[in-house]
Amino acid sequence: NIEIAQKQLANLGAGGEIARNALQVATEGAHRIRFIVRELLLLAREEPTVGSATDLGETVESTLALARVEIEKTARVVTELEPVPLVKGSVPRVAQIVLNLVLNSLEAMRSREASRNELTIRVRRSGDRHVLLEVADNGVGVDGADASRIFLPFFTTKPAGHGTGLGLAITQRLVSELGGDISFTSERGAGTTFRVLFPAYEEERVAVPLSSSSHHS
């Protein structure tokens, strides 16, 4: 309806300027509501874990390419991607985890010049059955009460109008659904490192019953 009204007002010339500006603000608000609702649905969904596998290293590289413009404006990237087994989870779900953590780190460094910022992403084995993803930044960091609430929905240390406070809550939910674990260490003014342990993918083996032989006399 807002878009219809905008098209009608386009023919009024200068006389409709105030109404057009008001509708533009309303349009931006509607888009923001749509984004928040989509994130809420992602947070609330109940989906069975699908028996799919993902190459974590490839997913990190494709996610960094997706966020390239934002990254180049904010920080220098260092990647340390060791050969690792496939991890449990679909590519979109694993990519969402990586992207959320990358965007969170970029936000923590945005207040400084890009030349002073460094985003480090590591992928390596962790024991026989897990793969570790580390996303580290040298941004503002968190401590105290903020650190204890970092995964709560709607909690954010960003200024009003920046972010919804849902990114890390959704990330924790996605990691949990995959049977993994997420943790972090942080120091105020020195940066934050998030660590995600992904279960390595193991093909399910269906037990085949031994065939019994019948003997006839």
Side-chain angles (χ1 to χ4, degrees), residues 1-13 15-17 19-20 23:
N1 284 336
I2 292 172
E3 288 167 353
I4 291 170
Q6 283 177 315
K7 288 176 183 176
Q8 295 291 323
L9 283 168
N11 301 321
L12 294 181
E17 188 66 26
R20 280 197 295 271
L23 284 174

Side-chain angles (χ1 to χ4, degrees), residues 32-33 35-37 39-40 152-156 158-159 161-170:
R32 183 164 173 78
I33 290 168
F35 174 76
I36 292 172
V37 169
E39 287 205 312
L40 281 170
L152 292 179
F154 301 110
F155 174 74
T156 178
K158 302 180 186 76
H162 295 264
T164 60
L166 290 172
L168 290 178
I170 290 169

Side-chain angles (χ1 to χ4, degrees), residues 130-152:
H130 290 88
V131 174
L132 178 66
L133 166 70
E134 288 187 341
V135 179
D137 64 71
N138 63 344
V140 294
V142 294
D143 57 16
D146 286 349
S148 66
R149 295 182 291 169
I150 202 167
F151 292 117
L152 292 179

Side-chain angles (χ1 to χ4, degrees), residues 201-212:
Y201 177 77
E202 297 176 4
E203 253 185 287
E204 294 182 8
R205 293 177 176 81
V206 180
V208 179
L210 295 173
S211 58
S212 55

Side-chain angles (χ1 to χ4, degrees), residues 163-202:
T164 60
L166 290 172
L168 290 178
I170 290 169
T171 303
Q172 186 185 48
R173 173 67 177 271
L174 293 175
V175 171
S176 177
E177 286 177 354
L178 296 177
D181 181 71
I182 183 169
S183 60
F184 73 97
T185 55
S186 186
E187 184 179 342
R188 182 73 71 180
T192 303
T193 300
F194 281 91
R195 297 177 180 84
V196 180
L197 271 178
F198 289 94
Y201 177 77
E202 297 176 4

Side-chain angles (χ1 to χ4, degrees), residues 72-90:
E72 287 178 351
K73 290 191 300 186
T74 312
R76 184 173 70 92
V77 179
V78 176
T79 56
E80 300 172 12
L81 309 178
E82 297 180 6
V84 293
L86 298 177
V87 300
K88 282 185 181 178
S90 64

